Amino acid sequence: MIDSIDHIVLTVRDPDKAAAFYTRVLGMEPITFGNGRRALRFGNQKINLQSLGQETRNHACIGSGAIRVECRIGGADLNPYLALAAQLAAGLDGIERQLPLEPVHAGDAYRAEGVREVPKTLGEAAELMRGSAMLRAAMGGEVI
């Protein structure tokens, strides 16, 4: 079970309206930090808010060659250990084979053109997983 998440960023059209909604509906506390950045706090966690169209302003070390990795956590039925193992295996495989990184994309990847599509259904994802020699070698045939 996941007990904490480093951080989450919501890209919203109107940070004021988003903060008001999450405060009213979920009881989150709106906060400002850093250089006027906005977030919603709940317990010892927070969700950062960024305005639509300003997505790249929060990327660490812009122009330095640093890489931002986005990891989306699946549903409650996901085994986090298997998911993390698969992500690590894929990352290590890419490093070992010196695979090129795909171009950076900011915005709605589901509607963008020229962006590689990810599986849209569990069936499509399972079919790709079963056909992956890399995952089979990394995790074993009994898992895949």
Side-chain angles (χ1 to χ4, degrees):
M1 168 171 274
I2 296 171
D3 59 9
S4 67
I5 296 174
D6 179 60
H7 74 282
I8 296 172
V9 178
L10 289 180
T11 302
V12 298
R13 291 189 191 281
D14 186 331
D16 291 325
K17 286 182 181 177
F21 172 80
Y22 286 103
T23 298
R24 184 180 75 251
V25 174
L26 298 177
M28 296 179 170
E29 174 191 0
I31 61 171
T32 302
F33 68 101
N35 214 7
R37 293 174 60 193
R38 311 239 346 246
L40 300 160
R41 181 181 9 226
F42 55 104
N44 64 351
Q45 303 289 317
K46 71 178 173 68
I47 297 175
N48 295 352
L49 298 175
Q50 68 182 2
S51 296
L52 182 65
Q54 296 181 353
E55 292 88 353
T56 58
R57 75 179 172 100
N58 292 330
H59 290 186
C61 307
I62 293 174
S64 71
I67 298 168
R68 173 178 178 246
V69 176
E70 181 173 326
C71 172
R72 296 181 181 224
I73 303 300
D77 56 344
L78 173 87
N79 181 320
Y81 303 106
L82 289 177
L84 182 58
Q87 289 174 339
L88 290 172
L92 290 171
D93 181 63
I95 291 168
E96 289 170 0
R97 295 193 303 144
Q98 298 182 342
L99 297 175
L101 294 173
E102 294 185 14
V104 173
H105 176 78
D108 186 346
Y110 294 103
R111 292 190 180 120
E113 294 190 22
V115 176
R116 183 177 58 89
E117 289 190 22
V118 297
K120 291 186 173 61
T121 68
L122 181 59
E124 288 177 13
E127 185 178 330
L128 288 171
M129 178 188 70
R130 283 190 294 271
S132 172
M134 181 277 299
L135 282 176
R136 191 169 300 285
M139 301 180 74
E142 61 278 358
V143 174
I144 304 301

